[in-house]
Amino acid sequence: MPVPLTVRSCKFKPGFRADGQHGVEDVLVAALHFALHDDGGGLSDARQCRHPECTHVLKAMSNFTRYNPEANTWHKQGASDTRMQAHVGLDRRRRGAASGILYAREVLSEQTTTNHGDSPALHPTTMQAHVAIPEAHATTLSDALTPGTILRIGGDRSRGLGRCTVEHFDTVSARMPAIRDRIEDFNAAWKASFEGTNHQPKDGVLVVLTLETPALFVDAMLRPNLAPDGADLLQAAQPSASEAAEALEALAPVHQIARPVSVHGWNGLARFPHASAQGLQAGSVLVFRAHNIDEPLLRALEHIETHGIGLQRHLGYGRTRVCLPLHTDVHEHTARSATAR
């Protein structure tokens, strides 16, 4: 899954552990102190790795993380090798090559270089996806995606790109702690962070949403909305989700750490582009406050973890996690500044 934009790291080691070892710092809690109480001590401390063998400046992490529940560790996943591939433009009227049109696209390579000590090696590029579908359709999809099935994914499939083979497809059980437990763990860490300060946490419970895919929202005038509130989370929801939408309306925005993204698409049936849209990038973090965590809100949060938030959820936009353990596992291991309020 995408790393939240609140994580910063240095080059001391390629991976990092959940117990807060050197090289990595999640600054969401420090960012909340700065946004809500004008206390920037935590952010100041997170600028530099405090491990005596490192002392590098921490930079915002990118790419993806993988969680190992058995070892309780988070690891940064390496990026696949890419290359530039030249193409000739097509004349759709003549159904042939277009004169004078040549372009290049960056594509994933069939093989990726991995470094194990001093012996780099090439391995077939392997990708893993998490598919969230209604249980009634899970068997049908599982029967269709048997090992050895040939798929074509990505863009320019008509030009021969995107051919891949299914190695394994099966249902998996959710390994994340229950939503209530995640919320309680985050709020316990949030309250503990006030020790040694002159501030006190406000009443209510913080609910953190971390985007796993981009999310799209619009305002009443159908303009892009990059600061959604609780009522925007289930825009264009079906009548069956009205109870969840009503429960989410009680969430009040507190803070967000987000980046905008422009999304584009192609309508293969109509043969013209989809309208471009602007939304929030994967990895963005939205923080809300609720008066309390009751059963209707828990059911609503379970609903958005299953079905997503915002618009065009059927296309994969808006997948989110509630109070991702990353925010408390990789958490505040540096000492607060002596000048902190």
Side-chain angles (χ1 to χ4, degrees), residues 78-317:
S80 300
D81 291 348
T82 62
R83 70 173 186 269
M84 299 302 296
Q85 184 162 308
H87 294 274
V88 176
L90 298 180
D91 188 325
R92 300 188 181 277
R93 294 175 298 176
R94 297 190 301 106
R95 298 181 181 274
S99 175
I101 299 179
L102 180 68
Y103 66 98
R105 296 195 65 175
E106 186 178 20
V107 300
L108 291 177
S109 298
E110 297 88 339
Q111 293 181 313
T112 297
T113 304
T114 57
N115 294 315
H116 298 287
D118 297 328
S119 56
L122 283 175
H123 298 277
T125 298
T126 304
M127 292 177 287
Q128 180 178 350
H130 179 202
V131 181
I133 57 174
E135 187 176 354
H137 304 304
T139 302
T140 302
L141 189 60
S142 180
D143 292 341
L145 298 180
T146 56
T149 301
I150 304 298
L151 297 179
R152 290 189 180 274
I153 60 176
D156 281 355
R157 295 186 297 274
S158 62
R159 293 177 170 86
L161 298 180
R163 187 174 184 271
C164 62
T165 303
V166 177
E167 291 188 355
H168 181 75
F169 184 84
D170 200 0
T171 57
V172 295
S173 58
R175 295 183 177 181
M176 285 283 182
I179 291 180
R180 181 186 290 275
D181 294 338
R182 280 182 265 157
I183 295 175
E184 291 176 351
D185 289 345
F186 180 83
N187 281 271
W190 169 241
K191 292 179 180 178
S193 68
F194 282 85
E195 296 181 5
T197 71
N198 297 326
H199 309 290
Q200 293 295 326
K202 295 182 179 180
D203 294 336
V205 180
L206 295 184
V207 177
V208 181
L209 302 184
T210 303
L211 297 182
E212 293 186 335
T213 60
L216 307 176
F217 305 94
V218 294
D219 61 15
M221 301 299 293
L222 301 183
R223 297 169 299 190
N225 177 15
L226 302 184
D229 57 22
D232 299 323
L233 297 180
L234 280 183
Q235 290 183 326
Q238 297 294 327
S240 58
S242 58
E243 181 181 353
E246 183 178 354
L248 293 174
E249 289 181 2
L251 295 179
V254 173
H255 186 57
Q256 69 177 46
I257 301 176
R259 292 179 181 174
V261 63
S262 296
V263 298
H264 313 276
W266 178 264
N267 189 324
L269 182 62
R271 296 186 177 181
F272 60 77
H274 283 296
S276 298
Q278 191 173 30
L280 299 179
Q281 179 63 283
S284 297
V285 179
L286 309 176
V287 184
F288 298 89
R289 178 178 283 111
H291 293 296
N292 55 69
I293 303 300
D294 52 18
E295 287 303 320
L297 181 57
L298 282 176
R299 290 195 297 268
L301 295 175
E302 291 174 357
H303 178 87
I304 64 175
E305 277 207 341
T306 303
H307 301 281
I309 58 177
L311 304 177
Q312 301 188 33
R313 297 188 294 275
H314 62 288
L315 297 178
Y317 292 107

Side-chain angles (χ1 to χ4, degrees), residues 1-24:
M1 62 188 167
V3 174
L5 301 177
T6 56
V7 178
R8 298 177 69 85
S9 68
C10 64
K11 297 181 179 179
F12 184 74
K13 56 190 300 186
F16 58 94
R17 295 183 55 83
D19 55 8
Q21 288 187 355
H22 39 73
V24 162

